[in-house]
Amino acid sequence: MIKHNPPSAEPLHRAIARFGDVTVLVVGDLILDRFVNGVIERISPEAPIPVLHGRGETSAMGGAGNVVANIVSLGARAIPVSVIGADTAGDNLVRMLGELGADTAGLAQERGRMTSSKSRFSALNQQVLRFDEEEIKPLSAHERAMLLDHFQAELPRADIVILSDYGKGILLDGVAGELIAICRDAGKPVLVDPKGHDYARYAGATAVTPNRKELGEAVGRKVFADDEIEEAARDLIATHDFDFVVATRSEKGMSVVTAEDARHIATQAREVFDVSGAGDTVIATFALSLAAGADRVQAAVIANAAGGVVVGKRGTARLTVEELSGALFRSHGPTAHKDAILDATSAARMVAAWKAEGLSVGFTNGCFDILHAGHVSLLHAARSQCDRLVLGLNSDASVRRLKGPGRPVNDQHDRACVLAALASVDAVVVFEEDTPLALIEALMPDILVKGADYTVATVVGADVVQKGGGRVVLVDLVAGKSTTGTIGKLRAGGTTN
């Protein structure tokens, strides 16, 4: 195994920020999940079985539908392609997908097909019965032709393809292989969430995402240790021409294996309520990350964090970009140096994640051209007012407009790097405007900090923060310290002490 340094946080958050530009084509078995909750207070007089008194019912999309739901929840576009029944469950799925905002033009409802439905009955959050209604059979020639037509019509719009195989029939009898061949010819990456022992049906896919048990079943032996995971994955790569394998390993995290390399990514320890749908979340997030520019290891780190979030929820869960950003922040610990330099979109998501953690977020801004004791004092005082501090930094063009053509002395990259290295600063965001008002409106900090040479009435964004329930803090400055004064002394040939 080749060892690597852990991926830095910055490209991870940048990839998440680009999710909104991604379109994913999802083909597979759509399932309607019903959840009936109630209480058990007596035994039936008709038979020795408990009587469940219903207290409510909810429905959700399972199988490939849950993959679609996670993609949309993460801010991307999803195009589901499948064949379902012309029945009540099928109607409900089409309605739910439409309400979610997914494009349903690629769905065909056929009278000769039954929509898979799983009903879970629970008492006091403990599942007591699951009732499945389904008929597992391959697509008819007519259904197959419709699916392929829909797939080829939608493929040009997609950045990446997911085949979500739940073994209900949609991808049986060579359908998966046909779809993979079409993707290869079109130059589209295709990821497969596999089912069963025979991975020959997925030959030529970019990657498969089995769990540890499924990986062992596919190679005909049990796998546990890192080297066993690597050997099994490489057997599949060699046999079926996959580019790589992503193996999910429950509490041990994930492994990304190629013919030459392997990475094992540890998961965060957290309480597990329900693993239902966690695999759907993982493949959805992995696909989005790849399509958004992350490499396969970075994508796996993001997907691993996503899986850790949803196992802490009940039912077939989905997550938001704010929850995902928060999970990544926790997994990477305190933000390090260059990882603290973010664009506005990434910073807004980071702020939302911090707030979701119950942390207070402060904001201050300035040019910070030549860092001096006054700057350090201001930033230390600002950080003392909050749990996390975001610094808005004027861009080079903005500084020139404000200070004149000879400024800045240090360009925005150097200024951002120096500021990001300070212990008091958690994130640096460069803004192009003359004032940070738009950035403040995007971040909505809890606390806005400026020097005491301002009044609350003259602090840009004070009204925005106060209307949002935040406060403005004015801190004392170190007398006689300013960048302009320092530059003036240097030009005069004097001392700066």
Side-chain angles (χ1 to χ4, degrees):
M1 181 183 71
I2 301 173
K3 293 186 180 295
H4 306 258
N5 293 324
S8 64
E10 181 187 9
L12 308 183
H13 290 288
R14 290 191 187 280
I16 294 172
R18 289 192 287 266
F19 280 4
D21 300 326
V22 175
T23 299
V24 186
L25 184 55
V26 181
V27 187
D29 303 291
L30 293 170
I31 301 170
L32 180 68
D33 285 330
R34 295 174 60 240
F35 300 91
V36 181
N37 298 304
V39 295
I40 295 174
E41 297 174 335
R42 64 190 181 95
I43 300 297
S44 171
E46 302 167 353
I49 56 173
V51 175
L52 179 70
H53 293 270
R55 294 290 175 86
E57 177 182 328
T58 58
S59 295
M61 293 175 291
N66 193 38
V67 177
V68 171
N70 274 278
I71 291 167
V72 175
S73 180
L74 286 166
R77 294 178 294 277
I79 306 172
V81 172
S82 190
V83 182
I84 55 178
D87 48 25
T88 300
D91 292 343
N92 284 335
L93 282 173
V94 172
R95 174 185 55 78
M96 293 164 72
L97 286 164
E99 291 174 349
L100 193 66
D103 187 340
T104 58
L107 298 179
Q109 286 189 268
E110 292 292 297
R111 294 194 178 279
R113 194 160 200 92
M114 175 186 289
T115 304
S116 293
S117 175
K118 300 181 185 297
S119 301
R120 297 168 176 86
F121 298 85
S122 299
L124 299 177
N125 293 317
Q126 177 64 51
Q127 192 173 139
V128 295
L129 175 69
R130 196 179 93 176
F131 174 55
D132 292 358
E133 298 171 275
E134 61 185 17
E135 181 183 14
I136 298 173
K137 66 177 183 178
L139 297 175
S140 67
H142 169 67
E143 291 169 342
R144 186 174 185 143
M146 280 196 305
L147 182 102
L148 291 172
D149 285 346
H150 284 150
F151 181 79
Q152 290 178 305
E154 301 293 353
L155 186 60
R157 299 168 53 197
D159 299 295
I160 194 166
V161 175
I162 294 175
L163 303 187
S164 178
D165 193 351
Y166 270 75
K168 308 305 178 188
I170 299 300
L171 297 173
L172 291 178
D173 282 7
V175 172
E178 281 195 68
L179 298 176
I180 291 167
I182 293 169
C183 289
R184 285 280 192 177
D185 290 343
K188 304 280 187 177
V190 54
L191 309 179
V192 181
D193 189 359
K195 190 75 172 179
H197 303 172
D198 181 14
Y199 283 24
R201 71 181 76 169
Y202 312 124
T206 305
V208 290
T209 62
N211 60 35
R212 182 194 57 77
K213 181 173 180 290
E214 290 168 337
L215 178 62
E217 290 172 346
V219 296
R221 60 184 183 272
K222 293 182 179 181
V223 294
F224 293 98
D226 289 355
D227 58 344
E228 294 171 334
I229 294 284
E230 293 175 31
E231 183 181 1
R234 288 185 179 130
D235 285 350
L236 294 181
I237 291 168
T239 304
H240 304 303
D241 194 28
F242 303 137
D243 291 356
F244 59 96
V245 171
V246 180
T248 56
R249 303 173 63 186
S250 300
E251 74 283 354
K252 291 187 178 295
M254 295 173 66
S255 298
V256 183
V257 184
T258 70
E260 303 84 21
D261 193 7
R263 284 294 300 274
H264 303 287
I265 300 156
T267 192
Q268 279 183 270
R270 62 189 295 141
E271 187 174 3
V272 175
F273 287 112
D274 195 342
V275 297
S276 300
D280 301 327
T281 301
V282 166
I283 196 169
T285 312
F286 188 87
L288 286 176
S289 302
L290 276 184
D295 63 35
R296 56 180 171 261
V297 174
Q298 293 165 346
V301 170
I302 296 171
N304 189 50
V309 174
V310 297
V311 297
K313 299 184 176 185
R314 298 189 188 278
T316 42
R318 64 191 74 163
L319 79 161
T320 64
V321 289
E322 290 78 18
E323 290 172 319
L324 181 53
S325 294
L328 283 172
F329 175 76
R330 287 192 300 272
S331 66
H332 277 70
T335 307
H337 196 86
K338 62 185 176 62
D339 299 334
I341 305 172
L342 304 173
D343 58 30
T345 302
S346 299
R349 287 178 174 158
M350 182 66 86
V351 167
W354 282 333
K355 289 184 176 182
E357 292 288 306
L359 303 174
S360 61
V361 179
F363 179 90
T364 192
N365 65 279
C367 299
F368 297 92
D369 193 2
I370 297 177
L371 198 66
H372 53 68
H375 290 145
V376 174
S377 176
L378 169 68
L379 295 173
H380 178 77
R383 185 61 164 78
S384 71
Q385 298 291 320
C386 55
D387 297 313
R388 298 288 181 268
L389 179 65
V390 180
L391 188 151
L393 183 66
N394 289 80
S395 70
D396 290 349
S398 175
V399 174
R400 280 192 292 271
R401 290 193 299 270
L402 295 172
K403 303 290 186 179
R407 301 282 298 276
V409 174
N410 295 301
D411 65 32
Q412 64 193 47
H413 175 266
D414 287 351
R415 289 183 286 128
C417 286
V418 170
L419 291 163
L422 297 178
S424 54
V425 176
D426 297 287
V428 177
V429 185
V430 177
F431 62 92
E432 296 291 340
E433 300 81 8
D434 290 346
T435 78
L437 180 60
L439 183 57
I440 292 170
E441 291 174 335
L443 302 182
M444 287 303 294
D446 303 298
I447 301 157
L448 183 57
V449 182
K450 289 294 286 184
D453 52 339
Y454 285 82
T455 65
V456 173
T458 59
V459 173
V460 172
D463 55 337
V464 173
V465 172
Q466 289 174 325
K467 286 179 181 177
R471 58 192 175 92
V472 179
V473 176
L474 304 179
V475 300
D476 292 332
L477 301 176
V478 177
K481 298 294 181 182
S482 75
T483 300
T484 301
T486 299
I487 292 173
K489 288 180 180 180
L490 288 171
R491 286 173 176 167
T495 178
T496 59
N497 291 334

